[in-house]
Amino acid sequence: MTLQDRYPVALRLYPYLRSGDQDAATPVRHPVVIAGGGPTGLAAALDLGRKGHRVVVLDDHEGVGMGSRAICFSKRTLEIAHRLGPGPGMLERGVIWQKGRVFRDRDEIYSFDLLPEEGHRYPAFINLSQVQFEKFLFEAIEHARADGAEIEIRGGNRVDAIEARLDGIGIEVMTPEGAYNLEADWLIACDGARSPVRNMLGLGFKGRVFEDNFLIADVRMTADFPTERWFWFEPWFRSGDSALLHRQPDDIWRIDFQIGWDIDREKELKEENILARVDAMLGEGVEYELVWSSIYTFQCRRMERFRHGRVLFAGDSAHQVSPYGARGANSGVQDAENLAWKLDLVLRGLAPETLLDSYDAERIQAADENILNSTRSTDFLTPKSEISRIFRDAVLNLAARHPFARPLVNSGRLSVPCTYGGLPGFGPDMLGQPARSRPGAPAPDAPVDDGYLLDLLGGEFTLLGLCLDVPEASRLDGISVVGLALDDASVGDTLRERYLGEASRAAYLVRPDQHVLARWPELDLNGIRTAIRNAVGKGGE
């Protein structure tokens, strides 16, 4: 029995079915077509469909691909999933973790806690296989369809050619029954690191490919290791320069081995050689089953631009980072959220097409931040010069005894959402503090009487008034108004710490993607109007 036989090759969630478009006399036109049904494509389809737009997803497969692949999903991604529907199910299914330990050989250097404070609905991370993550998104799409959302996923539909036009995109699609053509007002390319759409437009990546390889082995075993991220530098089992261990649901454990650059990939992927590495790590007598394996190379690259006319790139098709740090799938879902509310306004005629240039600017800033952190991690994990290795070893020696050196240990800076700093489209910061809720930052969650704050801030521009009278703000079109008095001390203390600091009151304007747009110490209706017009690209009108 092969590994592929033991692990589900794919969940055939959307098997090929003949579409009416294939029998049309002329190509049928759709508002939005998405190429690729991975986490980014499904999240974008779900978000746009829930906003009332007709969306067609084209995927050359018929469901979820083999292997766990991405496994770490961050707090911000779960908050987005909560707004879209599947967040609670993901949380229940996933393995919650927030602590990690860093070792050198057998000795622990230090440990960390990614979310030591309380008052959040979601943890710092859950571990959940990408198979299950995509399945939750698909099921949420099915629920949305039952409620009237026009989302169609066409499995076995491969994008073979595109023609970019000023007013739309022509698309040639290949199916098991032959080719057909359709048209789209907008095409979102979520078709992965090898993006055929990107190649069809003759576009490439810029960045670095690191000369190292890492072997992933997912094993099923019953073990009493704590639910933490364990990372080794120079592990005693001598499988390479580093190793990583993570728990997943269903007694699956992810193991990463650093195996070097000059390798025989076919040899390294032979089951007996993988088992030898795992045996050396786990020790004699540990029973386990190998369920999936792969080799990957660190790459930190992105496209020069994410918007090319009416073709928009998101997720791995737009940018690639090394897996250590959980930045791939998380940044892709955050791409989808940023793009969805802007494309929604454009499709509804409430914003000019130039608003989509802000998607390009903001998510390039996020990609550059991820690439910078990922590059630094990779340089620390795999020193490329003698002086770099001397520095790395000195840091590890010091970190075991001195806390000041521990922030320099870089076993993979873990994913956090981007704060869009210094970019146009954000309003004034007339409050000045707290820093965590400044304009450009994702609004921090906090408990309120009937749930959590983010439940009140999703889907449209929202004015959040804290200890302010805000009813008159309801005169503003296209804005939701939320007023909180903070009478409950247990709730008020958390909100005060995250939103007021030393101030006694505040007015926050929050975008549909739950990023803070502007804030004031008092209600400023003219300021709110101006901030919204700037945010949707109408500031000059």
Side-chain angles (χ1 to χ4, degrees), residues 203-404:
L203 303 170
F205 275 144
K206 63 177 184 179
R208 294 174 62 186
V209 177
F210 291 87
E211 293 187 357
D212 213 336
N213 289 289
F214 292 77
L215 171 69
I216 294 175
D218 279 2
V219 304
R220 180 179 288 110
M221 65 178 177
T222 302
D224 58 1
F225 303 130
T227 305
E228 298 172 342
R229 181 185 192 263
W230 284 9
F231 186 94
W232 287 268
F233 290 99
E234 301 170 356
W236 75 92
F237 39 88
R238 303 302 180 192
S239 296
D241 288 339
S242 67
L244 178 69
L245 178 68
H246 257 302
R247 181 196 292 268
Q248 301 181 61
D250 303 324
D251 293 324
I252 301 293
W253 295 78
R254 161 68 56 84
I255 306 173
D256 288 54
F257 297 107
Q258 184 179 358
I259 59 175
W261 179 244
D262 188 16
I263 64 167
D264 183 335
R265 293 175 68 93
E266 184 176 349
K267 177 181 177 182
E268 293 291 348
L269 283 172
K270 288 184 177 179
E271 186 165 347
E272 60 269 25
N273 294 326
I274 298 172
L275 295 179
R277 290 186 181 276
V278 178
D279 288 342
M281 179 183 190
L282 299 179
E284 295 182 3
V286 177
E287 295 185 2
Y288 65 89
E289 177 189 12
L290 185 62
V291 294
W292 184 68
S293 63
S294 180
I295 289 177
Y296 62 87
T297 301
F298 277 2
Q299 301 185 40
C300 293
R301 308 186 296 171
R302 69 164 173 86
M303 298 178 67
E304 185 174 352
R305 291 182 291 116
F306 296 173
R307 181 189 176 197
H308 291 264
R310 288 176 171 261
V311 182
L312 303 147
F313 290 85
D316 287 350
S317 69
H319 46 76
Q320 297 173 24
V321 291
S322 58
Y324 282 0
R327 298 176 181 277
N330 287 300
S331 63
V333 172
Q334 290 159 35
D335 287 349
E337 182 186 49
N338 187 291
L339 177 57
W341 74 266
K342 295 172 180 177
L343 187 54
D344 166 53
L345 294 181
V346 171
L347 288 166
R348 290 195 285 137
L350 299 177
E353 292 180 9
T354 52
L355 175 60
L356 296 171
D357 293 335
S358 71
Y359 163 74
D360 186 87
E362 290 176 7
R363 294 314 296 169
I364 280 178
Q365 185 177 92
D368 284 345
E369 183 178 292
N370 281 326
I371 287 170
L372 176 63
N373 282 296
S374 187
T375 299
R376 287 173 173 171
S377 297
T378 305
D379 285 337
F380 195 86
L381 291 173
T382 61
K384 299 302 184 293
S385 67
E386 184 62 24
I387 192 64
S388 295
R389 183 170 290 278
I390 290 172
F391 170 77
R392 198 276 301 271
D393 291 347
V395 168
L396 294 177
N397 288 333
L398 289 168
R401 302 186 302 276
H402 303 290
F404 81 87

Side-chain angles (χ1 to χ4, degrees), residues 412-435:
R413 297 282 186 251
L414 287 153
S415 174
V416 295
C418 181
T419 294
Y420 305 120
L423 294 175
F426 288 93
D429 182 4
M430 305 301 290
L431 204 61
Q433 52 82 39

Side-chain angles (χ1 to χ4, degrees), residues 1-9 66 291:
M1 180 180 291
T2 66
L3 295 180
Q4 287 78 7
D5 292 329
R6 288 207 299 266
Y7 204 96
V9 173
M66 186 190 80
V291 294

Side-chain angles (χ1 to χ4, degrees), residues 426-500:
F426 288 93
D429 182 4
M430 305 301 290
L431 204 61
Q433 52 82 39
R436 70 195 297 177
S437 53
R438 65 191 182 276
D445 206 2
V448 295
D449 287 338
D450 54 352
Y452 283 84
L453 179 64
L454 292 186
D455 294 340
L456 309 176
L457 303 181
E460 55 189 335
F461 288 99
T462 303
L463 174 66
L464 172 64
L466 300 175
C467 304
L468 282 175
D469 291 328
V470 292
E472 60 182 306
S474 62
R475 301 200 308 265
L476 298 171
D477 293 333
I479 185 171
S480 173
V481 179
V482 175
L484 296 174
L486 310 191
D487 293 332
D488 186 325
S490 63
V491 170
D493 286 347
T494 304
L495 276 173
R496 282 190 181 90
E497 186 272 327
R498 294 173 189 172
Y499 285 87
L500 292 179

Side-chain angles (χ1 to χ4, degrees), residues 18-56:
R18 188 173 181 83
S19 164
D21 289 2
Q22 293 168 250
D23 300 316
T26 58
V28 177
R29 191 177 183 97
H30 298 275
V32 181
V33 172
I34 297 175
T40 305
L42 293 178
L46 178 57
D47 209 345
L48 286 164
R50 284 168 53 99
K51 295 179 189 299
H53 302 291
R54 191 170 78 253
V55 182
V56 174

